Amino acid sequence: MLNRVILIGRLTRDPELRYTPAGVAVTQFTLAIDRPFSNQQTKEKEADFINIVTWRQLAETCANYLRKGRLTAVEGRLQVRNYDNNEGRKVYVTEVIADNVRFLESSGGKEGGGSGNREESTYTRNSGSGGARENQDPFSDDGKPIDISDDDLPF
C-alpha cells in the first residue's frame, strides 16, 4: 500500500507552533494550491486549502522560517482523524503529515510572488544533523571572483 502526497503552494498564514504535554513540537499551517482550471461562471481560478502538520525539529524549523505567502513544497502522507466536538457531533479532519518541506523562495523575496533571488532549502523529519539539511548550490558565487591558491588545486 502507498500513501504519499506531494504539494506545492503558498502559506495562507504564518505557521502555529505548539508543544504537546510531553514537550514535542508540532506546527500547523495551510497551503493554498491553485486548481489547474478556472470557474466557468466567474472565470477566476479556484484554490484548495490543505492543512499541513509537522512534528519535532521539522516543526520548529518551519515555525522559524516559513511565513505567510511563501512558496513551499511539502511531501508527506495523508491522514484522516476524527473527534467529538462540544455538541457531541463527530468531526473528521483530513491533513497531510509532512516529513519533508522545501522552501522554494528565499525569505528576502517578495511576499506572495517570485523573485530573482531564488533559494531552495529542504528540511526533513529524519535528517541527522539537527533535523535540517540545506540543498544549496555550493558553486554559486553571485558573480564574485573566487580566491583559490595554487596549493588548493588538486592538479
Side-chain angles (χ1 to χ4, degrees):
M1 293 187 223
L2 179 66
N3 181 356
R4 218 59 205 143
V5 176
I6 300 172
L7 302 169
I8 297 176
R10 294 194 182 276
L11 271 74
T12 61
R13 64 182 190 279
D14 290 351
E16 297 175 22
L17 175 64
R18 287 187 255 154
Y19 291 89
T20 66
V24 178
V26 59
T27 299
Q28 294 180 317
F29 56 92
T30 303
L31 282 185
I33 301 164
D34 289 334
R35 291 184 179 170
F37 51 86
S38 298
N39 184 319
Q40 293 297 328
Q41 288 81 23
T42 62
K43 303 293 183 200
E44 292 181 12
K45 281 211 165 202
E46 294 181 357
D48 292 304
F49 299 90
I50 311 295
N51 296 323
I52 311 295
V53 178
T54 59
W55 290 89
R56 297 175 182 75
Q57 180 64 39
L58 180 58
E60 292 176 343
T61 302
C62 288
N64 288 334
Y65 296 105
L66 285 178
R67 294 291 172 255
K68 177 182 176 179
R70 189 153 180 206
L71 188 64
T72 305
V74 170
E75 182 180 0
R77 63 182 171 82
L78 194 63
Q79 174 178 288
V80 179
R81 60 183 174 88
N82 63 63
Y83 63 91
D84 293 327
N85 68 7
N86 295 338
E87 299 169 357
R89 291 186 179 168
K90 191 168 285 240
V91 177
Y92 290 89
V93 178
T94 303
E95 55 200 5
V96 173
I97 308 302
D99 54 27
N100 196 348
V101 176
R102 181 171 289 225
F103 305 162
L104 299 178
E105 292 178 327
S106 66
S107 57
K110 295 178 187 174
E111 187 173 328
S115 72
N117 185 10
R118 186 182 156 124
E119 173 186 309
E120 287 189 10
S121 300
T122 301
Y123 296 93
T124 306
R125 173 178 55 93
N126 296 327
S127 294
S129 62
R133 179 182 83 233
E134 293 194 31
N135 287 337
Q136 294 181 352
D137 183 2
F139 300 104
S140 68
D141 56 17
D142 298 328
K144 300 174 192 161
I146 301 172
D147 184 27
I148 297 177
S149 71
D150 289 339
D151 295 335
D152 293 333
L153 298 175
F155 47 89

